Amino acid sequence: SGRVLLAVRVAPFGDGLALILVDDRTQARRVEEVRRDFVVNVSHELKTPVGGLALLAEAIAGAADDPDAVSRFAGRMKVETERLTRLVAEIVDLSRLQAGDLLADMVVVDVGACAEEAVDQARVVAGARTVVAAPAGRPENLRIYGDHDLVTTAIRNLVTNAIAYSDDKTRVGVVTRRVDDLVEVSVSDQGRGISAQDQERIFERFYRVDPARSRRTGGTGLGLSIVKHIIAGHGGSVSVWSEEGQGSTFTLRFPAAVGETRAVGTPAPYQ
Ligand code: ADP
């Protein structure tokens, strides 16, 4: 919606050719709006845990003669502080991804190894769920150009979500495979699933289907937004299949590495 403002300038380009420059001001304005929304969202998201910490500190001060209560409140302060620390770290990561400065160095990366590393890191929060990584095919077929740590982060975010939004004793599967010119990673769970309507919004910053549940599982609402930006920076795509009550499968697709030519990633679009 809104008016589209296009400034078209025709510049001489030698030999009677003209170069047409299109300056999309609507895009510039949208970027500014998104930036402003982000600041508003961030301050809102920070207020909640900071307010919670202030209340807990007061509660501790008022419970000086009840050691049990003091240690209970202190435990909750620790949990809130950890969540706040993660939130700040993710906000910084997301801003840097949006600015495109985390993707300067693209090298050959083995996506199978990233998936195994991501699963190892996520296992600590798996509880009684079975988490299985299955790289299919030869490792050299699972190579892309990218940043090893960022690809691992993207897969780990999907695996920790699969764990957070499914019950104990279910299975989370991570499959890595080569399909034509693409390297695919899919992360499947047998969890609550996501309605078609919500599937369209979950990649937005701070969007949660169930804010209370996200908070209980220590979510920040930024995980999928970070995934989206990492994948865009690698020239790839992310898609979701889900059926409510059945489970979800998130699939990442990257262009496979060809030869040893270095490819340079395009910075993620600001949105
Ligand atoms: P959060 O920190 O809340 O998990 P994300 O950006 O990672 O934030 O995910 C956004 C929302 O998408 C979550 O709050 C949740 O409602 C939904 N979601 C993400 N992954 C899954 C999944 N595997 N199963 C069901 N819902 C999911």
Side-chain angles (χ1 to χ4, degrees):
S1 67
R3 258 182 327 139
V4 178
L5 275 179
L6 280 183
V8 179
R9 196 151 63 85
V10 181
F13 199 60
D15 282 345
L17 288 173
L19 179 65
I20 299 181
L21 302 168
V22 178
D23 168 17
D24 184 352
R25 296 199 187 152
T26 314
Q27 178 64 17
R29 198 183 306 145
R30 220 185 79 75
V31 166
E32 186 45 43
E33 271 168 26
V34 168
R35 209 190 308 267
R36 212 176 312 132
D37 283 355
F38 188 36
V39 173
V40 172
N41 282 341
V42 164
S43 26
H44 176 79
E45 294 286 334
L46 289 174
K47 261 184 208 155
T48 316
V50 170
L53 284 172
L55 285 177
L56 285 165
E58 255 174 55
I60 287 180
D65 47 1
D66 182 350
D68 283 351
V70 168
S71 85
R72 212 169 47 245
F73 292 140
R76 282 173 53 194
M77 276 185 101
K78 185 163 178 283
V79 171
E80 275 303 299
T81 311
E82 282 163 0
R83 212 179 79 82
L84 185 59
T85 307
R86 204 166 48 247
L87 177 61
V88 171
E90 291 195 348
I91 289 168
V92 172
D93 283 351
L94 191 57
S95 329
R96 294 183 64 193
L97 279 168
Q98 286 175 161
D101 52 318
L102 280 185
L103 279 157
D105 202 19
M106 306 285 268
V107 293
V108 175
V109 170
D110 173 1
V111 178
C114 294
E116 275 176 42
E117 209 172 303
V119 165
D120 279 346
Q121 291 168 1
R123 272 212 181 94
V124 291
V125 290
R129 295 165 196 80
T130 313
V131 189
V132 193
R138 295 180 307 168
E140 61 268 34
N141 285 343
L142 302 176
R143 288 190 186 140
I144 62 163
Y145 295 111
D147 180 298
H148 178 95
D149 290 347
L150 290 178
V151 173
T152 305
T153 298
I155 302 172
R156 189 184 59 233
N157 284 358
L158 296 181
V159 178
T160 50
N161 276 349
I163 292 169
Y165 300 103
S166 61
D167 293 328
D168 262 358
K169 299 195 177 128
T170 58
R171 186 177 182 283
V172 172
V174 183
V175 177
T176 320
R177 64 175 155 238
R178 172 72 175 259
V179 180
D180 299 325
D181 291 340
L182 300 173
V183 175
E184 275 189 14
V185 188
S186 47
V187 179
S188 308
D189 65 61
Q190 303 170 321
R192 52 169 40 199
I194 308 157
S195 72
Q197 214 179 341
D198 285 320
Q199 285 173 35
E200 300 198 351
R201 303 208 52 195
I202 49 176
F203 291 92
E204 292 171 21
R205 289 182 300 240
F206 299 121
Y207 184 82
R208 296 125 165 154
V209 176
D210 175 352
R213 169 145 186 158
S214 163
R215 166 160 281 276
R216 273 199 305 281
T217 57
T220 59
L222 290 177
L224 288 179
S225 187
I226 288 174
V227 170
K228 185 179 78 175
H229 281 88
I230 291 175
I231 302 313
H234 283 77
S237 67
V238 50
S239 60
V240 55
W241 171 92
S242 186
E243 194 93 51
E244 274 181 287
Q246 302 282 312
S248 312
T249 298
F250 285 80
T251 303
L252 307 179
R253 291 187 178 86
F254 301 92
V258 224
E260 288 303 310
T261 328
R262 275 168 61 103
V264 178
T266 33
Y270 199 108
Q271 45 173 285

